[in-house]
Amino acid sequence: MLFSGFITLAALAVAPVRGALTYKGVDWSSVVVEEKAGRSYKTTAGQTQALESILKGSGVNTVRQRVWVNPSDGNYNLAYNLQIAKRAKAAGLGVYLDLHYSDTWADPAHQTIPAGWPTDIDNLSWKLYNYTLDVSNQFASAGITPTIMSIGNEIRGGLLWPTGKYDQLYNIARLLNSAAYGIKDSNLSPKPKIMIHLDNGWDWATQQWFYTSVLEQGPLAASDFDMMGVSFYPF
Ligand SMILES: *[C@@H]1O[C@H](CO)[C@@H](O)[C@H](O)[C@H]1NC(C)=O
Ligand SMILES: *[C@@H]1O[C@H](CO)[C@@H](O)[C@H](O)[C@H]1NC(C)=O
């Protein structure tokens, strides 16, 4: 299953429109950061409204939110995400959580283990399970059931480096299995769709290599996740 419904605000103008997309999404993670910096949002008619109202009124049905573990300024941590997810829910929007499993940006060049987390594969797998379970249960307690949760962000080169780097395929399989079960064992009901998210969505050889080599390790089953997500920057 190819996930192609999400676009960033910056890419909105060039979004392709074909047929009925299930998810019409915008990553609105920075809304409170921007509001604290004094910014507000207006409709095309010039009326100032809450961003979630403008998004909902424009046909968006889901917001994407990045979750960092313990960022130094608190932005994008769990509490921040619960706060904005409540606003999204109140506006009638679904929530897609993008778990970075880092204290800062995770991408193909950065997958730094959060400060204080263990680095050996056994303890790190448990920590990842516990953390994902805790995030899931805190959302459940807040009455918010994400529609999608991605376990890692742009993990073409692995996650939680160096333990889960691309040359440690068995560890990647274990980590993704532990992360998936943190969601599956949670109180969330119905269960969110579990996504594995890589970048270079245009490059089938890379996508094929990743899924084939990680799945053949053993610990991760195809039934452990529901969606293959891609970042797609064709320009
Ligand atoms: C895992 O954590 C436990 C408890 O902190 C510790 O005793 C053990 O040495 C750790 N395992 C490794 C391989 O570091
Ligand atoms: C995971 O959570 C369990 C139960 O709360 C706890 O006993 C265990 O020490 C935790 N493990 C890690 C690695 O955080």
Side-chain angles (χ1 to χ4, degrees), residues 118 122-131 133:
D122 291 329
N123 286 315
L124 183 60
S125 297
W126 273 108
K127 184 70 188 174
L128 187 60
Y129 171 85
N130 282 10
Y131 167 78
L133 182 69

PDB file of all heavy atoms in Angstrom, residues 118 122-131 133, ligand 2:
ATOM      1  N   PRO A 118      19.048   3.266  26.606  1.00  0.00           N
ATOM      2  CA  PRO A 118      20.125   2.276  26.452  1.00  0.00           C
ATOM      3  C   PRO A 118      20.510   2.127  24.980  1.00  0.00           C
ATOM      4  O   PRO A 118      19.724   2.496  24.094  1.00  0.00           O
ATOM      5  CB  PRO A 118      19.499   0.982  26.985  1.00  0.00           C
ATOM      6  CG  PRO A 118      18.022   1.186  26.899  1.00  0.00           C
ATOM      7  CD  PRO A 118      17.774   2.661  27.029  1.00  0.00           C
ATOM      8  N   ASP A 122      19.064  -5.368  23.296  1.00  0.00           N
ATOM      9  CA  ASP A 122      18.018  -5.929  24.171  1.00  0.00           C
ATOM     10  C   ASP A 122      17.304  -4.839  24.959  1.00  0.00           C
ATOM     11  O   ASP A 122      16.082  -4.736  24.948  1.00  0.00           O
ATOM     12  CB  ASP A 122      18.622  -6.951  25.151  1.00  0.00           C
ATOM     13  CG  ASP A 122      19.077  -8.212  24.432  1.00  0.00           C
ATOM     14  OD1 ASP A 122      18.453  -8.566  23.412  1.00  0.00           O
ATOM     15  OD2 ASP A 122      20.061  -8.830  24.882  1.00  0.00           O
ATOM     16  N   ASN A 123      18.079  -4.017  25.643  1.00  0.00           N
ATOM     17  CA  ASN A 123      17.459  -2.961  26.450  1.00  0.00           C
ATOM     18  C   ASN A 123      16.830  -1.873  25.576  1.00  0.00           C
ATOM     19  O   ASN A 123      15.796  -1.311  25.933  1.00  0.00           O
ATOM     20  CB  ASN A 123      18.493  -2.347  27.402  1.00  0.00           C
ATOM     21  CG  ASN A 123      18.811  -3.283  28.565  1.00  0.00           C
ATOM     22  OD1 ASN A 123      17.920  -3.872  29.168  1.00  0.00           O
ATOM     23  ND2 ASN A 123      20.097  -3.446  28.855  1.00  0.00           N
ATOM     24  N   LEU A 124      17.454  -1.607  24.431  1.00  0.00           N
ATOM     25  CA  LEU A 124      16.895  -0.572  23.550  1.00  0.00           C
ATOM     26  C   LEU A 124      15.542  -1.017  22.973  1.00  0.00           C
ATOM     27  O   LEU A 124      14.610  -0.214  22.880  1.00  0.00           O
ATOM     28  CB  LEU A 124      17.879  -0.251  22.416  1.00  0.00           C
ATOM     29  CG  LEU A 124      17.454   0.860  21.446  1.00  0.00           C
ATOM     30  CD1 LEU A 124      17.243   2.192  22.180  1.00  0.00           C
ATOM     31  CD2 LEU A 124      18.489   1.034  20.336  1.00  0.00           C
ATOM     32  N   SER A 125      15.422  -2.284  22.632  1.00  0.00           N
ATOM     33  CA  SER A 125      14.143  -2.802  22.124  1.00  0.00           C
ATOM     34  C   SER A 125      13.046  -2.659  23.174  1.00  0.00           C
ATOM     35  O   SER A 125      11.925  -2.258  22.872  1.00  0.00           O
ATOM     36  CB  SER A 125      14.271  -4.274  21.727  1.00  0.00           C
ATOM     37  OG  SER A 125      15.190  -4.416  20.682  1.00  0.00           O
ATOM     38  N   TRP A 126      13.389  -3.000  24.414  1.00  0.00           N
ATOM     39  CA  TRP A 126      12.401  -2.845  25.490  1.00  0.00           C
ATOM     40  C   TRP A 126      12.045  -1.389  25.706  1.00  0.00           C
ATOM     41  O   TRP A 126      10.878  -1.048  25.902  1.00  0.00           O
ATOM     42  CB  TRP A 126      12.915  -3.449  26.804  1.00  0.00           C
ATOM     43  CG  TRP A 126      12.606  -4.898  26.888  1.00  0.00           C
ATOM     44  CD1 TRP A 126      13.472  -5.944  26.792  1.00  0.00           C
ATOM     45  CD2 TRP A 126      11.302  -5.484  27.079  1.00  0.00           C
ATOM     46  NE1 TRP A 126      12.802  -7.139  26.895  1.00  0.00           N
ATOM     47  CE2 TRP A 126      11.473  -6.886  27.077  1.00  0.00           C
ATOM     48  CE3 TRP A 126      10.021  -4.957  27.235  1.00  0.00           C
ATOM     49  CZ2 TRP A 126      10.395  -7.759  27.237  1.00  0.00           C
ATOM     50  CZ3 TRP A 126       8.954  -5.834  27.388  1.00  0.00           C
ATOM     51  CH2 TRP A 126       9.145  -7.214  27.385  1.00  0.00           C
ATOM     52  N   LYS A 127      13.051  -0.546  25.681  1.00  0.00           N
ATOM     53  CA  LYS A 127      12.790   0.880  25.885  1.00  0.00           C
ATOM     54  C   LYS A 127      11.870   1.422  24.782  1.00  0.00           C
ATOM     55  O   LYS A 127      10.944   2.203  25.043  1.00  0.00           O
ATOM     56  CB  LYS A 127      14.120   1.649  25.900  1.00  0.00           C
ATOM     57  CG  LYS A 127      13.991   3.123  26.189  1.00  0.00           C
ATOM     58  CD  LYS A 127      13.591   3.362  27.632  1.00  0.00           C
ATOM     59  CE  LYS A 127      13.256   4.820  27.890  1.00  0.00           C
ATOM     60  NZ  LYS A 127      12.738   5.014  29.249  1.00  0.00           N
ATOM     61  N   LEU A 128      12.124   0.994  23.567  1.00  0.00           N
ATOM     62  CA  LEU A 128      11.320   1.448  22.438  1.00  0.00           C
ATOM     63  C   LEU A 128       9.877   0.962  22.573  1.00  0.00           C
ATOM     64  O   LEU A 128       8.918   1.705  22.326  1.00  0.00           O
ATOM     65  CB  LEU A 128      11.937   0.914  21.138  1.00  0.00           C
ATOM     66  CG  LEU A 128      11.344   1.419  19.835  1.00  0.00           C
ATOM     67  CD1 LEU A 128      11.473   2.932  19.721  1.00  0.00           C
ATOM     68  CD2 LEU A 128      12.022   0.735  18.658  1.00  0.00           C
ATOM     69  N   TYR A 129       9.732  -0.290  22.980  1.00  0.00           N
ATOM     70  CA  TYR A 129       8.395  -0.838  23.239  1.00  0.00           C
ATOM     71  C   TYR A 129       7.712  -0.025  24.334  1.00  0.00           C
ATOM     72  O   TYR A 129       6.573   0.431  24.168  1.00  0.00           O
ATOM     73  CB  TYR A 129       8.512  -2.308  23.653  1.00  0.00           C
ATOM     74  CG  TYR A 129       7.213  -2.906  24.158  1.00  0.00           C
ATOM     75  CD1 TYR A 129       6.272  -3.435  23.264  1.00  0.00           C
ATOM     76  CD2 TYR A 129       6.932  -2.948  25.520  1.00  0.00           C
ATOM     77  CE1 TYR A 129       5.082  -3.981  23.726  1.00  0.00           C
ATOM     78  CE2 TYR A 129       5.735  -3.493  25.986  1.00  0.00           C
ATOM     79  CZ  TYR A 129       4.825  -4.009  25.081  1.00  0.00           C
ATOM     80  OH  TYR A 129       3.639  -4.538  25.548  1.00  0.00           O
ATOM     81  N   ASN A 130       8.396   0.168  25.455  1.00  0.00           N
ATOM     82  CA  ASN A 130       7.809   0.894  26.590  1.00  0.00           C
ATOM     83  C   ASN A 130       7.417   2.316  26.200  1.00  0.00           C
ATOM     84  O   ASN A 130       6.355   2.783  26.569  1.00  0.00           O
ATOM     85  CB  ASN A 130       8.809   0.972  27.753  1.00  0.00           C
ATOM     86  CG  ASN A 130       8.893  -0.330  28.527  1.00  0.00           C
ATOM     87  OD1 ASN A 130       8.364  -1.344  28.105  1.00  0.00           O
ATOM     88  ND2 ASN A 130       9.581  -0.279  29.668  1.00  0.00           N
ATOM     89  N   TYR A 131       8.281   2.987  25.495  1.00  0.00           N
ATOM     90  CA  TYR A 131       8.015   4.371  25.104  1.00  0.00           C
ATOM     91  C   TYR A 131       6.812   4.440  24.160  1.00  0.00           C
ATOM     92  O   TYR A 131       5.914   5.268  24.329  1.00  0.00           O
ATOM     93  CB  TYR A 131       9.259   4.973  24.434  1.00  0.00           C
ATOM     94  CG  TYR A 131       8.990   6.286  23.731  1.00  0.00           C
ATOM     95  CD1 TYR A 131       8.877   7.472  24.451  1.00  0.00           C
ATOM     96  CD2 TYR A 131       8.830   6.335  22.342  1.00  0.00           C
ATOM     97  CE1 TYR A 131       8.608   8.680  23.803  1.00  0.00           C
ATOM     98  CE2 TYR A 131       8.560   7.530  21.695  1.00  0.00           C
ATOM     99  CZ  TYR A 131       8.457   8.699  22.424  1.00  0.00           C
ATOM    100  OH  TYR A 131       8.180   9.876  21.781  1.00  0.00           O
ATOM    101  N   LEU A 133       4.432   2.269  23.803  1.00  0.00           N
ATOM    102  CA  LEU A 133       3.242   1.905  24.592  1.00  0.00           C
ATOM    103  C   LEU A 133       2.765   3.095  25.409  1.00  0.00           C
ATOM    104  O   LEU A 133       1.572   3.392  25.464  1.00  0.00           O
ATOM    105  CB  LEU A 133       3.601   0.730  25.509  1.00  0.00           C
ATOM    106  CG  LEU A 133       2.505   0.152  26.397  1.00  0.00           C
ATOM    107  CD1 LEU A 133       1.450  -0.577  25.556  1.00  0.00           C
ATOM    108  CD2 LEU A 133       3.103  -0.826  27.424  1.00  0.00           C
TER     109      LEU A 133
HETATM  110  C1  LIG B   2       9.695  -1.115  30.623  1.00  0.00           C
HETATM  111  O1  LIG B   2       8.580  -1.010  31.452  1.00  0.00           O
HETATM  112  C2  LIG B   2       8.521  -2.028  32.427  1.00  0.00           C
HETATM  113  C3  LIG B   2       7.172  -1.939  33.113  1.00  0.00           C
HETATM  114  O2  LIG B   2       6.857  -0.615  33.404  1.00  0.00           O
HETATM  115  C4  LIG B   2       9.698  -1.866  33.364  1.00  0.00           C
HETATM  116  O3  LIG B   2       9.682  -2.900  34.321  1.00  0.00           O
HETATM  117  C5  LIG B   2      10.983  -1.977  32.554  1.00  0.00           C
HETATM  118  O4  LIG B   2      12.094  -1.709  33.363  1.00  0.00           O
HETATM  119  C6  LIG B   2      10.967  -0.984  31.422  1.00  0.00           C
HETATM  120  N1  LIG B   2      12.166  -1.225  30.615  1.00  0.00           N
HETATM  121  C7  LIG B   2      12.854  -0.247  30.065  1.00  0.00           C
HETATM  122  C8  LIG B   2      14.058  -0.653  29.287  1.00  0.00           C
HETATM  123  O5  LIG B   2      12.527   0.916  30.149  1.00  0.00           O
END
